[in-house]
Every structure is written in structure tokens, then in C-alpha cells.
Amino acid sequence: MLWLLSTVMMGKNMTESTLFNMVNFHLKNGLEVVFLKNKISSAASAGVLYKYGSADDDPKTYGIAHFLEHMMFKGTKQYPKGQLDDIIMRLGGSHNAYTSWDKTFYYATVPKGGLRTLLTLEADRMLNLSFDDAEVEPEKGAVKEEENMHIKNHPFGETIKIWLRTLFPVHPYGVEIIGYPEHIEAYDAHNTRTAYQLWYAPNNAVLIISGDFEEAFIRTLVEELFGDLASSPHIPEKRVRHQDPKIEGLTRTIVQENTRASMVFCELAYPSPSIQESKNQTVVMAYNIAAFMLGGNDVSLLYKDLVRTKKLATSVTVSNQTGLDARHISVDLELTPTMDIHACINAYKAFMQELTNNGMLQDWFKTRFEEVKNQIKGQMVFATDGTAGAIRIFDRCAEGYTAQQTNRIISTIDQVTLTQVQNVLRQLMATPTGTLIIHPPGYQSSFAISATTSSK
């Protein structure tokens, strides 16, 4: 019923080949521009996406991409410290940024008439960032507090650090985006500026704009504000990271008795490809669809089996973690201390065995496959109603996707075949590359847990 309702609600949008009325062009200095015309919005959103994240950092200063994001709000000679915030606020807008392993994205939404001012600020700080050496140390303190809040004060924070390095012993995905304390301590004005000068340039950026404007106006405005910015000769043609060796049939297991845990948490990790590795959008999308079918919401297959029917877990979530390089599908299980983790994992394996042997060959599975495709398409279509959500869809351009591929994501979803999803599910019958179990004190005495590696 839900898929039918979604189809009726979306009307022709669910069958259109593109999400947006998009114009995509490049300036001579290499800046890529994505303009999404939205005739119904009185707001304008713009974001500058840099193809640079913490996985691109020097190993001695991991996380400096995130630190640089902080410093980008310190101002320029033309717009000194504090003016960026003041100007955006006076416009009646809002702005923020985020850093991941693969990208740094600065985004803002303002009333339509404020677009020129917003783009003027972004063009200026793309190459003219200015900060005093004295500002570095206080900002390092702010990042240290952020690390304390999100990692040290998180009940599982330190364990997750070990877990990441377990999944990626060589690849920089194995290091927290914020870096380790010793990395943060190593930041200084010189290496921060070096990262800025190496990665921040028009030929390593995508400018994404959404609003009710004419194409000619956008082309003229962008050329006026960004066209004279110098490109950088230092941008690599391809971002190359140290890769982990292929692992066949080997799982790494971490078990932690955590005094701050009041529940049992388990994550099973299975390898999944990136767009670079697969060279096929439908392959990656098949992993997304398979994950959503298994544990995308509280009506998904595993949730209904393990939580609702067998009551062996309180929550099941399955997600496909994507990036510029290959990452993994994670199967996350949450249990109360009275629930048996072994019984839950065994039930998961039994369910997957039955599903792959029989269930996914049945008509109900085919129906569910189409329902999930419609649900994911619906999420994409809903994002087109506003300008802020629209520009963030295109941050995947830092993960190896083109703007055209992103705009045709509905068609990509439609092209995913049942066979592709069935193949993904069969891969989840293999040995996971990593198993993480966190439990409260005393839990092992009630339920014996065997592990390859134990961390306390």
C-alpha cells in the first residue's frame, strides 16, 4: 500500500528521468557550477563543495581538513573575523559546514535577494582566507573539546576509534575525521595554510546553487565573482589513498565490557564497493536497496523478524556506508542485557539463509523490492521541494559521481535489477570482515562470548 500511495503522491515526478531542472557548466579556471532552478521558492541556497576530506590529509596531521573548516570562518582581509556571521544573519539567513573523509561542504540559505552577497563571501574566502597565528591555538582548543564531546564523552567513542582502525588497518577511513589528540596537537598556522593552499581552489570545487533565477543571471553572476580566481596546479588528477589488502574469509572481532553501557550493541560489517571500484552506479545502488530492504526502517525484513516476531533485539539497522573508496554494509543490532547476543546473531544468520535460499525467490520479495525502490525515489523527490536539501544531494560529487549522474538518480534506481539485489544479499551470507560487540559489566557471565580480540 505504501508504494502505491507514494506513486500517487509523486505523480509524474516519480517517473521523470531527472530530479531537477539543472544547468551544469565549468568556468575557465576549472570551477564546476551546478544550478538547480526552483520556481516555487523565495529562498536561495548555495554551497561550495571541496573535493577534500580528512582521508586526503597527511598522516602526521590527520583531521586538519576538519580543523581548516573551523578556520574558514575566521574571515579574510576584506571581510575580517565575525563579519561572515554578521552579514549572513543580517540577510536573515543561516549557514554551516561539515567535513567527512572525502569532502568539505560549506552551505547557506538566504532570502532570494541575498544570493549575490552570499556568493561574494564564498568567492572571497575560497582563496583569501586570513587568520592570525594567535587564532590557531584557541581553535585547537575548540576542536579538542569537540573531540572530548563526541568521542571521549561518548560511551562507545573510544571503542569506535579502535573499530574503525580494525575495519581499515591501512586506509585513512580507519582514523576518525577529527583525528587523534596527537594530530590535533600538531596543527599550526603553517600546516593549516599549507592544506588550504593545496586543496582550496576553483578547480577542486563545485559551486551548487538552488533558487528561482534565470540561467543567464546565474552564469553572469558566477563568472563575475569567481571567474578571476586563479586555479591551482597542485590539485591531483586522482585522489589516491593507501588501500587495505583484500580479506577473504577472515573476520576481526572486538568485544568490550563497557562500564558505561546499559545495553548490548553489535555491528557486523561486510565489504561494499564505491563508484570508483564498481564503475557502475546501479551496483552501488543495489547495495543501498538491499540494506534498506533488510533494515532501513521498522517495517524492514530483519526488523520485523528479530524485533517484532522473535523479540531477540530492540532495534535492527542496516545501512550501506559509501565513500570515494570502498567501505562497508553495517548490520547494527541493539539488545537489552536480558537478551542473548548469540541467539540474536544465530537468528540473523538463519534468517539470511532462509531468505537467500527461498524467500527472495518468492513473489512477496519482488513486491517488497519494488516498494523499497519507490521509497528511496520518494526520499529523493521530496528533497526537490526546498533549496537547502537540494544542494546537499550533490555533495556526492566528491565521491566520484558527476552532477549528471546525481541528477539522474531516479533512473539509476529504476535500472537496478532484482538479480543485483539478490547477489548483494548472498554476499551477506559470507563471513563479516568485522564484528563488534559492546556489553555492560556482568553480561559475559550470563552469555559466553567468544572473540578473536578483546578490548577493555
Side-chain angles (χ1 to χ4, degrees):
M1 180 62 72
L2 180 59
W3 69 270
L4 180 60
L5 179 62
S6 297
T7 304
V8 172
M9 289 174 62
M10 298 304 156
K12 74 183 185 69
N13 278 337
M14 288 292 283
T15 59
E16 287 181 350
S17 60
T18 57
L19 274 178
F20 301 96
N21 180 3
M22 183 188 79
V23 176
N24 182 213
F25 60 94
H26 289 76
L27 301 187
K28 291 181 179 179
N29 58 12
L31 178 69
E32 181 176 5
V33 182
V34 176
F35 169 49
L36 314 171
K37 187 166 186 176
N38 186 328
K39 294 182 178 180
I40 64 174
S41 179
S42 58
S45 293
V48 178
L49 173 68
Y50 292 97
K51 298 178 182 181
Y52 164 55
S54 63
D56 301 302
D57 284 333
D58 186 302
K60 296 178 182 178
T61 53
Y62 274 138
I64 204 168
H66 169 258
F67 183 68
L68 180 54
E69 176 207 317
H70 280 239
M71 300 308 294
M72 281 287 283
F73 291 88
K74 296 300 180 182
T76 66
K77 291 182 179 179
Q78 185 173 358
Y79 300 98
K81 182 180 178 181
Q83 286 200 18
L84 176 66
D85 294 335
D86 291 344
I87 292 171
I88 296 295
M89 182 180 66
R90 288 200 298 269
L91 287 173
S94 62
H95 68 135
N96 213 327
Y98 58 84
T99 305
S100 80
W101 285 288
D102 299 308
K103 57 201 166 194
T104 310
F105 192 38
Y106 301 87
Y107 57 94
T109 297
V110 295
K112 180 180 175 181
L115 179 65
R116 170 181 282 275
T117 300
L118 173 59
L119 295 186
T120 298
L121 295 170
E122 289 294 357
D124 184 48
R125 69 173 174 171
M126 180 175 283
L127 294 183
N128 299 318
L129 180 63
S130 176
F131 55 88
D132 296 328
D133 293 0
E135 290 183 296
V136 171
E137 288 303 319
E139 202 60 39
K140 282 170 60 175
V143 173
K144 288 176 185 177
E145 286 305 309
E146 191 175 343
E147 199 258 353
N148 286 336
M149 180 173 63
H150 293 294
I151 298 176
K152 291 182 180 178
N153 289 339
H154 189 287
F156 304 158
E158 294 296 332
T159 309
I160 297 302
K161 285 171 62 174
I162 298 172
W163 173 237
L164 285 174
R165 200 32 119 186
T166 300
L167 293 179
F168 301 99
V170 176
H171 195 287
Y173 285 164
V175 180
E176 290 276 4
I177 293 167
I178 200 171
Y180 295 161
E182 58 267 29
H183 298 138
I184 299 171
E185 196 59 48
Y187 304 158
D188 58 32
H190 174 72
N191 53 36
T192 304
R193 289 194 185 95
T194 297
Y196 174 67
Q197 293 165 357
L198 177 62
W199 293 102
Y200 279 58
N203 52 322
N204 197 42
V206 183
L207 172 63
I208 309 159
I209 303 169
S210 178
D212 184 13
F213 304 99
E214 294 303 318
E215 177 185 342
F217 168 77
I218 293 296
R219 285 182 178 270
T220 300
L221 181 62
V222 171
E223 181 64 44
E224 174 190 339
L225 298 177
F226 291 85
D228 290 335
L229 300 183
S231 60
S232 170
H234 305 298
I235 303 300
E237 291 186 9
K238 182 178 181 180
R239 291 186 283 171
V240 178
R241 289 85 171 262
H242 295 295
Q243 299 295 316
D244 292 304
K246 295 293 184 181
I247 298 174
E248 299 292 341
L250 172 67
T251 186
R252 303 180 180 98
T253 304
I254 293 177
V255 177
Q256 183 191 45
E257 181 180 274
N258 192 315
T259 57
R260 300 176 65 187
S262 59
M263 42 78 79
V264 180
F265 175 80
C266 175
E267 179 176 341
L268 307 174
Y270 301 84
S272 67
S274 67
I275 185 66
Q276 283 193 136
E277 185 178 49
S278 67
K279 297 180 174 58
N280 186 332
Q281 290 184 89
T282 62
V283 171
V284 178
M285 185 57 68
Y287 278 80
N288 294 338
I289 292 172
F292 198 98
M293 291 182 72
L294 287 178
N297 52 34
D298 59 5
V299 296
S300 57
L301 301 179
L302 275 176
Y303 191 98
K304 289 196 293 185
D305 184 72
L306 298 180
V307 177
R308 291 187 174 182
T309 302
K310 296 175 181 173
K311 303 187 185 309
L312 292 172
T314 60
S315 177
V316 178
T317 304
V318 184
S319 56
N320 183 34
Q321 311 294 323
T322 60
L324 181 66
D325 295 323
R327 293 186 64 192
H328 59 281
I329 279 186
S330 64
V331 178
D332 297 339
L333 309 168
E334 293 184 14
L335 296 75
T336 69
T338 61
M339 294 173 171
D340 187 338
I341 185 63
H342 281 307
C344 185
I345 292 176
N346 288 336
Y348 158 74
K349 293 178 179 178
F351 177 86
M352 293 302 300
Q353 187 72 60
E354 174 61 24
L355 180 67
T356 54
N357 287 348
N358 301 304
M360 66 185 190
L361 304 178
Q362 306 301 315
D363 288 341
W364 68 263
F365 183 86
K366 299 175 185 177
T367 300
R368 184 59 186 151
F369 166 68
E370 294 298 336
E371 289 176 350
V372 166
K373 287 173 72 172
N374 274 317
Q375 288 171 2
I376 297 175
K377 287 191 290 185
Q379 292 175 354
M380 296 293 103
V381 172
F382 289 145
T384 67
D385 287 343
T387 58
I391 65 171
R392 292 184 67 166
I393 291 176
F394 286 81
D395 71 353
R396 70 206 299 262
C397 290
E399 297 179 358
Y401 294 88
T402 66
Q404 289 78 14
Q405 288 173 330
T406 301
N407 201 31
R408 293 196 299 266
I409 193 169
I410 296 294
S411 295
T412 300
I413 296 169
D414 283 333
Q415 290 166 17
V416 175
T417 66
L418 183 65
T419 299
Q420 285 178 305
V421 172
Q422 290 170 334
N423 289 337
V424 173
L425 295 174
R426 290 188 183 98
Q427 292 180 42
L428 298 187
M429 289 299 299
T431 303
T433 55
T435 301
L436 170 66
I437 299 173
I438 302 173
H439 63 85
Y443 187 76
Q444 281 184 305
S445 61
S446 300
F447 307 111
I449 299 174
S450 60
T452 304
T453 305
S454 179
S455 174
K456 292 188 178 181

